[in-house]
């Protein structure tokens, strides 16, 4: 009799959970503490596992589980949105100008002084930490380009987990075309590693390009795996299958067109990574000796400056221009000289074609487009008559010819 009563109660409980979706959701969704505990367990297992060819499959599965759990920890259940479901959104700053540059760094490294030096915008600077509590925008002009510079509040270790409004800062940094990591030259260089780790945890890939990998989900047919080049960083068909299985993708076509690591393959599957160029700005070099500057000079992608004294600011501006891959395209009205004062700024990453150039001028201009006359490095002869698919180069001169009638 008691067994019969228990089975009736179990059936009733199952029916109640099935009828009330919120109950089943609450049982599925883990708390942040549980997710963090699982992450710690997997990290401990990964650390004690030997790294060799025989364990590469197991290590690939552990990496996939780690990436999935970290994504859930940052973005909430599901973990697919980059803008975080249960965390704060970025600062509400409207995008203006041709390029957006964000200043990221620890408190009291001179970000506000650098913003004032670059743009003239007054941002409060003081001798104590966390002077800047919100995002301060400013605009500077360089080589005809209007560059928006954002002075973001200082971040601390654990920012990607929400400490010190860190998620708001890094969410805003994701929207930038370029990030300047401002460091104090007199402080340990380990600060650089901490900031890199925080940005990496939030899905920002520093000075990397998206992997040349194509993953296409299918309805049936299993996993089809192709390598266009030999893989030397741990990827194989078995590792790809294990990772796809972890992400519940039973059928897909995978094409690897370059040599990639397991982490890069996971980034492709996640699909929410931001690939942002980064420049390391070592501020307060007036406190260093020549010998210490020689040591810093061995570091790639860095510029030493003193924002207070205005030292080396011109080199910083030139590095920003180079890293952002901007082009200056000059317009030429028929029968007149080219306008060298106000160039149209385009980005190499966005396919700078004649059609894209027309869309920058006016969205309806391409409808009346007949052809373009181009002078400059992209032209085979001066001038060259070009169509809408012609790719422009820096300092080209373009004259648009409309249809007649």
């Amino acid at each position: 009799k008691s067994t019969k009563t228990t089975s009736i109660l179990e059936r009733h409980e199952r029916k109640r959970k099935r009828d009330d979706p919120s109950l089943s959701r609450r049982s599925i969704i883990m708390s942040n503490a549980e997710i963090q505990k699982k992450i710690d367990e997997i990290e401990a297992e990964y650390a004690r596992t030997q790294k060799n060819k025989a364990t590469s499959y197991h290590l690939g599965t552990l990496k996939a589980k780690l990436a999935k759990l970290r994504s859930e920890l940052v973005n909430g259940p599901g973990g697919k949105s980059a803008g975080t479901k249960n965390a704060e959104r970025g600062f509400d700053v409207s995008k203006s100008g041709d390029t957006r540059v964000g200043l990221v760094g620890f408190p009291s490294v001179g970000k506000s002084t650098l913003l004032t030096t670059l743009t003239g915008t007054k941002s409060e600077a003081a001798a104590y930490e966390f002077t800047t509590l919100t995002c301060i925008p400013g605009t500077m002009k360089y080589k005809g380009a209007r560059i928006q510079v954002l002075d973001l509040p200082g971040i601390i270790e654990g920012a990607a987990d929400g400490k010190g409004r860190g998620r708001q800062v890094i969410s805003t940094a994701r929207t930038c075309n370029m990030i300047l990591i401002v460091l104090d030259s007199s402080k340990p260089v380990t600060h650089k590693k901490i900031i890199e780790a925080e940005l990496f945890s939030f899905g920002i890939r520093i000075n990397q390009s998206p992997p040349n990998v194509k993953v296409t989900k299918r309805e049936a047919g299993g996993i089809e795996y192709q390598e266009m080049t030999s893989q030397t960083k741990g990827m194989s068909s078995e590792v790809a299958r294990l990772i796809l299985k972890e992400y519940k993708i039973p059928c897909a076509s995978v094409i690897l067109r370059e040599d990639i690591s397991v982490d890069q393959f996971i980034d492709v599957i996640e699909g929410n990574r931001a690939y942002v160029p980064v420049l390391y700005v070592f501020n307060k070099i007036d406190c260093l000796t020549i010998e210490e500057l020689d040591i810093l000079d061995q570091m790639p992608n860095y510029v030493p400056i003193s924002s207070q004294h205005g030292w080396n600011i011109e080199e910083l501006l030139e590095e920003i221009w180079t890293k952002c891959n901007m082009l200056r395209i000059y317009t030429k009205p028929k029968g007149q000289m080219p306008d060298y004062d106000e160039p149209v700024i385009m980005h190499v990453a966005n396919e700078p074609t004649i059609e894209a150039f027309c869309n920058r001028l006016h969205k309806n201009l391409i409808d009346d487009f007949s052809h373009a006359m181009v002078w400059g490095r992209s032209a085979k002869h001066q001038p060259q008559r070009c169509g809408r698919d012609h790719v422009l180069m820096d300092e080209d001169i373009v004259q648009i010819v409309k249809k007649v009638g």
Side-chain angles (χ1 to χ4, degrees):
K1 186 178 178 182
S2 61
T3 308
K4 189 176 181 181
T5 307
T6 305
S7 63
I8 292 170
L9 288 172
E10 286 176 351
R11 282 202 304 271
H12 178 70
E13 184 66 22
R14 282 198 298 270
K15 185 176 184 301
R16 191 169 71 89
K17 285 183 177 180
R18 191 170 62 247
D19 294 341
D20 189 353
S22 64
L23 290 172
S24 59
R25 276 200 301 273
R26 279 200 295 270
S27 62
I28 291 171
I29 296 170
M30 293 187 293
S31 67
N32 284 356
E34 290 173 330
I35 294 173
Q36 189 59 55
K37 187 180 177 182
K38 279 201 166 190
I39 288 173
D40 294 339
E41 289 172 359
I42 294 171
E43 282 179 340
E45 185 179 350
Y46 185 85
R48 64 172 175 263
T49 304
Q50 290 186 350
K51 278 71 174 176
N52 54 50
K53 198 172 181 180
T55 60
S56 61
Y57 306 143
H58 179 59
L59 292 173
T61 309
L62 292 179
K63 282 184 177 181
K65 286 179 179 177
L66 273 175
K68 201 173 179 186
L69 288 170
R70 282 173 180 156
S71 189
E72 283 187 20
L73 191 65
V74 172
N75 301 327
K80 284 304 262 186
S81 64
T84 75
K85 203 170 185 179
N86 55 358
E88 304 91 342
R89 301 287 174 181
F91 295 101
D92 188 16
V93 181
S94 59
K95 199 167 185 176
S96 66
D98 303 301
T99 297
R100 175 183 269 195
V101 176
L103 305 179
V104 176
F106 279 96
S108 295
V109 293
K111 298 188 297 297
S112 299
T113 309
L114 180 57
L115 177 77
T116 306
T117 304
L118 291 175
T119 67
T121 303
K122 185 64 179 173
S123 181
E124 187 180 351
Y128 53 87
E129 295 188 344
F130 296 104
T131 313
T132 305
L133 300 176
T134 186
C135 179
I136 310 294
T139 305
M140 66 177 180
K141 200 164 184 180
Y142 185 69
K143 291 187 177 180
R146 289 178 299 111
I147 301 172
Q148 185 184 40
V149 184
L150 303 182
D151 177 18
L152 297 167
I155 64 173
I156 57 175
E157 193 170 358
D161 300 327
K163 292 181 182 177
R165 301 182 78 182
R167 285 182 178 170
Q168 279 183 286
V169 174
I170 303 177
S171 292
T172 308
R174 281 182 69 107
T175 67
C176 296
N177 299 98
M178 181 182 181
I179 296 174
L180 298 184
I181 295 180
V182 186
L183 300 163
D184 190 338
S185 300
S186 59
K187 298 287 177 66
V189 187
T190 49
H191 286 188
K192 170 177 173 285
K193 293 288 183 186
I194 295 170
I195 294 174
E196 285 175 348
E198 296 301 330
L199 296 178
F200 185 89
S201 300
F202 213 78
I204 297 176
R205 299 295 174 258
I206 293 173
N207 292 330
Q208 295 181 26
S209 56
N212 194 359
V213 176
K214 188 174 183 182
V215 179
T216 309
K217 295 181 184 179
R218 302 188 301 188
E219 294 295 325
I223 304 296
E224 184 183 329
Y225 179 86
Q226 294 181 42
E227 292 179 1
M228 309 302 286
T229 182
S230 59
Q231 299 297 311
T232 61
K233 299 178 182 177
M235 275 303 298
S236 66
S237 59
E238 190 61 33
V239 172
R241 284 189 178 87
L242 286 168
I243 293 172
L244 290 169
K245 182 182 177 183
E246 185 63 36
Y247 279 89
K248 295 180 173 57
I249 303 175
C251 304
S253 170
V254 179
I255 303 174
L256 307 184
R257 294 191 175 92
E258 66 172 291
D259 188 10
I260 64 165
S261 64
V262 176
D263 291 324
Q264 287 176 302
F265 184 69
I266 292 170
D267 288 344
V268 172
I269 295 172
E270 284 280 347
N272 59 358
R273 305 308 191 216
Y275 296 88
V276 185
V278 165
L279 196 63
Y280 301 99
V281 180
F282 280 85
N283 196 12
K284 305 180 183 179
I285 58 169
D286 48 303
C287 303
L288 299 184
T289 63
I290 297 296
E291 290 77 13
E292 289 169 328
L293 273 175
D294 288 337
I295 295 170
L296 284 179
D297 198 45
Q298 300 171 13
M299 191 178 299
N301 302 312
Y302 106 106
V303 177
I305 66 160
S306 173
S307 53
Q308 185 177 3
H309 299 288
W311 295 354
N312 214 28
I313 298 298
E314 191 62 34
E315 185 185 344
L316 174 61
L317 293 172
E318 187 60 38
E319 285 290 333
I320 291 172
W321 175 270
T322 306
K323 279 273 186 184
C324 289
N325 281 329
M326 289 184 282
L327 306 177
R328 291 161 292 179
I329 310 298
Y330 302 110
T331 56
K332 182 186 181 303
K334 190 173 180 180
Q336 298 180 31
M337 290 294 290
D339 182 8
Y340 292 111
D341 297 326
E342 293 292 333
V344 176
I345 303 299
M346 303 184 72
H347 290 265
V348 174
N350 298 337
E351 195 73 28
T353 59
I354 295 286
E355 183 175 357
F357 173 76
C358 292
N359 290 332
R360 283 299 304 269
L361 296 175
H362 195 278
K363 62 181 180 180
N364 297 329
L365 182 58
I366 197 67
D367 298 333
D368 302 324
F369 176 82
S370 171
H371 62 274
M373 304 302 291
V374 179
W375 292 260
R377 290 191 296 158
S378 69
K380 294 179 182 176
H381 44 82
Q382 311 296 329
Q384 180 183 347
R385 177 173 169 153
C386 303
R388 62 176 65 193
D389 296 327
H390 177 78
V391 179
L392 299 167
M393 297 179 75
D394 190 27
E395 295 194 283
D396 277 357
I397 298 170
V398 179
Q399 177 183 311
I400 303 296
V401 180
K402 293 185 177 181
K403 296 175 185 174
V404 178

